[in-house]
Amino acid sequence: MRNTSFASMHCSLAQSLEIIGDWWTPLVLRDLYLGLDRFDQLVTDLGISRNLLTDRLGTLMDGGLVARTPYQENPVRYAYELTEAGRELVPILLALTAWGDRHATPPAGQPIRFTHDTCGKVTTATVCCSECGGPLDAADVTPSPGPGGRTAPGTALVATVLATAEH
């Protein structure tokens, strides 16, 4: 279970982490993306306890990232799938996997490769600018307050900009 809630933080990252911010959730999302859609498959692949998986799937369903549909009636059993919002997280998972391949590769090497179906080439996910398509790097991006910015917990940037503007 989480020790901290970010629900009151006025920050899109904090709100995202409220839904996906524990160790198991990205792995559950990965497995659903890879086609493991049954509860028992997820338990077996991840080695996660049934109670913990039930909790994580509940959070993901409440957050609109995962949907379930019954595939058996007696007893009722469900298949789980990523919703559109859940599928939008897949490129982020691919980028985290690429980071892991560069900085935390298992001793035997890269465990999985991804092929971009459009071009047929093995790909490494990168994060790019939505406007020019260039790669995003921390040194090349400048944050500034957005239209929903206000001084609140989790918004140090907004508070810093407001304090600078007052002086």
Side-chain angles (χ1 to χ4, degrees):
M1 295 305 269
R2 283 186 231 154
N3 294 328
T4 302
S5 173
F6 299 121
S8 65
M9 253 190 214
H10 189 75
C11 168
S12 297
L13 177 58
Q15 294 302 309
S16 298
L17 291 173
E18 188 66 20
I19 300 169
I20 63 166
D22 66 77
W23 291 358
W24 288 108
T25 297
L27 299 175
V28 170
L29 293 169
R30 177 209 59 197
D31 275 9
L32 290 172
Y33 165 68
L34 293 175
L36 301 176
D37 65 351
R38 307 280 171 95
F39 189 89
D40 289 336
Q41 290 175 320
L42 295 167
V43 167
T44 300
D45 189 59
L46 296 173
I48 188 173
S49 76
R50 299 176 80 74
N51 288 341
L52 191 55
L53 180 57
T54 298
D55 178 68
R56 295 307 179 261
L57 287 169
T59 299
L60 290 168
M61 287 186 293
D62 290 346
L65 303 178
V66 170
R68 72 178 186 175
T69 54
Y71 69 87
Q72 177 180 309
E73 290 188 27
N74 191 10
V76 177
R77 296 189 190 277
Y78 297 95
Y80 297 87
E81 66 180 336
L82 297 175
T83 62
E84 182 179 340
R87 288 187 300 275
E88 286 183 21
L89 282 170
V90 170
I92 295 165
L93 298 175
L94 296 176
L96 282 171
T97 301
W99 182 91
D101 289 342
R102 287 190 302 275
H103 300 288
T105 308
Q110 180 184 17
I112 190 169
R113 290 189 175 142
F114 299 96
T115 300
H116 185 223
D117 293 338
T118 302
C119 70
K121 304 287 185 181
V122 172
T123 187
T124 300
T126 59
V127 180
C128 300
C129 175
S130 62
E131 299 302 313
C132 73
L136 293 180
D137 183 272
D140 299 328
V141 177
T142 303
S144 60
R150 63 182 172 92
T151 303
T155 58
L157 171 67
V158 175
T160 301
V161 170
L162 290 175
T164 303
E166 291 172 358
H167 289 113

